[in-house]
Amino acid sequence: MMKVQNPYLEQSGDYWYHLGLAPTAQVKAIFHDVKFVCLGGKSKRMENFAKYLYQALDEPQNSFFENGSKRLFNISGSAGRYCMYKVGNCISASHGMGMPSFQILLHELFKLLTFAGCEDVAFIRIGTSGGLGLEPGTTVVTNQPYSSMLKPYFTQVACGSEVKYESTCDEQLTSQLLACGKKLGTKITTGNTMSCDDFYEGQGRLDGALCSFTPTAKMDFLERAHKDHGILNIEMESNVFGAMCKRFGVRGTTVCVTLLDRLQGDLVNTTKCQEWELQPQAVVAELIKTSLF
C-alpha cells in the first residue's frame, strides 16, 4: 500500500488545492481501484487520451462520468490548474509544462492515492521530446533521467539548501512498454533522457529571443550528452518525475516521441506532430490492456 513519507502531514485535514479535492469518502470511492496513472503536459492531449483509453478498454463502467451521462468528467476542472479523468482503473491527467508544475501535481496525486488506499500503482509520463541522433517520429522509453548538468539526479532546493535525489525509472515497466511498442510495430527504443528547465537556452537552442552561447558550444554540449551519457532525447520533466517516484517508492517511467533530431536543428516544424503524438499513447494503452485483462 502507498504510504506518505512526510511525518508532519495531518492527512485528515488536508486539501489538495491544485486538484480541487479533499480527503472525503466520495473521493476514496472514486479512486480506490487505480492501478495506472498516465500523465502528460497538455490538458487537451490527456483529455483525448482518456477518451481513447475508454474505447481501448471497452468502456469500463468504473470510469467517472458527468452526471446522468456517459461523458468522462474532468474531476479537477474546477481548480483550473490540471485536467484529470478516471477511466476504469486508470487516471489520465495533465501536468503542465516543466518540472515545478509536475512536482506540485505529483505531491497531490501521491497524497490522494495514499488516502484512497491504492496499491501497486504504476506512473507513466506520456509526451513529446527532441531527439538526439534518432529519426524523428521515434518513441523513446527512458532508462535513466539526467539533469541539464548531465547528472543522474534531481537537485531539490528546500529552505535555502540543495538536496540531491537519485532519479531512476522502473526497469520492468520500461521493458514492458518497449515490448508493447514492438508488438504494435512502433518505431521504439530505450535510452537516457535529459530534462531541462527551459525549452530554449536550457536545451541549447539558438532560436530563442535571447542566446548566451555560440553554435559551437551548443553542438559540443549536445554531442557530449549523446555520446558520453547515452542521452537519446530531451524534454523538461523526467528528472523530477524519476526522483519523486523513487523517493515515494512507486514504479514510474517516461515514454516520449521525438519530433526532431536536435543534432540537425532546433525548429519543431513538422506536420506530423499530431500523428506522432499518438504513438506513445497507443503503447501505453496496450500495456494497460495487457495488464488489466
Side-chain angles (χ1 to χ4, degrees):
M1 185 174 292
M2 297 174 69
K3 184 178 179 181
V4 171
Q5 310 294 319
N6 178 5
Y8 309 108
L9 178 66
E10 296 182 7
Q11 197 165 24
S12 60
D14 200 9
Y15 180 67
W16 310 310
Y17 168 70
H18 302 88
L19 296 179
L21 297 172
T24 65
Q26 182 189 20
V27 166
K28 181 174 287 189
I30 295 169
F31 293 102
H32 74 281
D33 58 353
V34 167
K35 291 295 183 184
F36 287 92
V37 178
C38 303
L39 304 162
K42 298 177 184 176
S43 291
K44 193 64 179 178
R45 178 189 300 157
M46 300 317 291
E47 176 188 354
N48 289 338
F49 178 69
K51 294 175 180 177
Y52 172 75
L53 192 60
Y54 181 64
Q55 296 300 323
L57 299 181
D58 197 23
E59 301 183 358
Q61 294 307 299
N62 57 333
S63 304
F64 193 75
F65 304 103
E66 292 183 21
N67 288 335
S69 76
K70 288 296 183 180
R71 292 190 298 271
L72 294 170
F73 182 68
N74 181 2
I75 300 170
S76 291
S78 63
R81 299 281 182 174
Y82 308 103
C83 76
M84 181 165 63
Y85 300 88
K86 169 73 161 39
V87 184
N89 298 89
C90 310
I91 286 174
S92 177
S94 63
H95 58 64
M97 188 182 298
M99 287 184 271
S101 177
F102 201 176
Q103 189 170 24
I104 292 167
L105 176 67
L106 288 172
H107 273 287
E108 297 189 7
L109 281 176
F110 288 164
K111 293 193 292 180
L112 164 62
L113 297 177
T114 298
F115 169 75
C118 298
E119 298 181 359
D120 192 29
V121 181
F123 289 74
I124 304 172
R125 166 168 143 68
I126 304 168
T128 58
S129 62
L132 289 179
L134 294 176
E135 182 180 353
T138 302
T139 295
V140 178
V141 190
T142 301
N143 282 329
Q144 171 66 60
Y146 276 82
S147 73
S148 57
M149 295 298 292
L150 302 179
K151 302 296 183 182
Y153 53 75
F154 172 71
T155 302
Q156 174 71 63
V157 178
C159 298
S161 299
E162 292 185 352
V163 184
K164 294 177 173 60
Y165 293 106
E166 183 184 5
S167 182
T168 62
C169 290
D170 185 81
E171 292 183 10
Q172 182 182 23
L173 195 56
T174 295
S175 297
Q176 290 172 329
L177 285 165
L178 178 65
C180 287
K182 290 182 176 179
K183 176 182 174 182
L184 295 174
T186 304
K187 191 187 307 175
I188 192 168
T189 187
T190 58
N192 299 335
T193 299
M194 178 170 63
S195 298
C196 300
D197 293 324
D198 166 48
F199 184 81
Y200 288 99
E201 287 184 288
Q203 296 188 27
R205 277 186 159 87
L206 299 171
D207 60 341
L210 302 166
C211 190
S212 58
F213 46 83
T214 65
T216 299
K218 165 203 165 175
M219 292 307 300
D220 286 347
F221 172 65
L222 295 182
E223 288 175 359
R224 183 156 49 96
H226 182 50
K227 294 177 181 178
D228 295 351
H229 299 280
I231 292 171
L232 295 186
N233 63 329
I234 307 169
E235 39 86 279
M236 295 188 286
E237 291 89 12
S238 290
N239 191 26
V240 70
F241 181 41
M244 290 283 284
C245 287
K246 182 171 178 60
R247 287 180 67 191
F248 202 73
V250 294
R251 297 180 297 138
T253 196
T254 295
V255 52
C256 285
V257 69
T258 59
L259 301 181
L260 74 164
D261 182 356
R262 288 295 317 287
L263 297 178
Q264 303 299 320
D266 295 336
L267 194 62
V268 180
N269 62 356
T270 177
T271 60
K272 296 185 176 181
C273 283
Q274 291 185 336
E275 173 189 338
W276 286 343
E277 280 187 13
L278 296 177
Q279 291 178 188
Q281 295 181 30
V283 172
V284 172
E286 180 64 25
L287 173 64
I288 293 171
K289 284 193 295 183
T290 302
S291 301
L292 295 179
F293 299 103

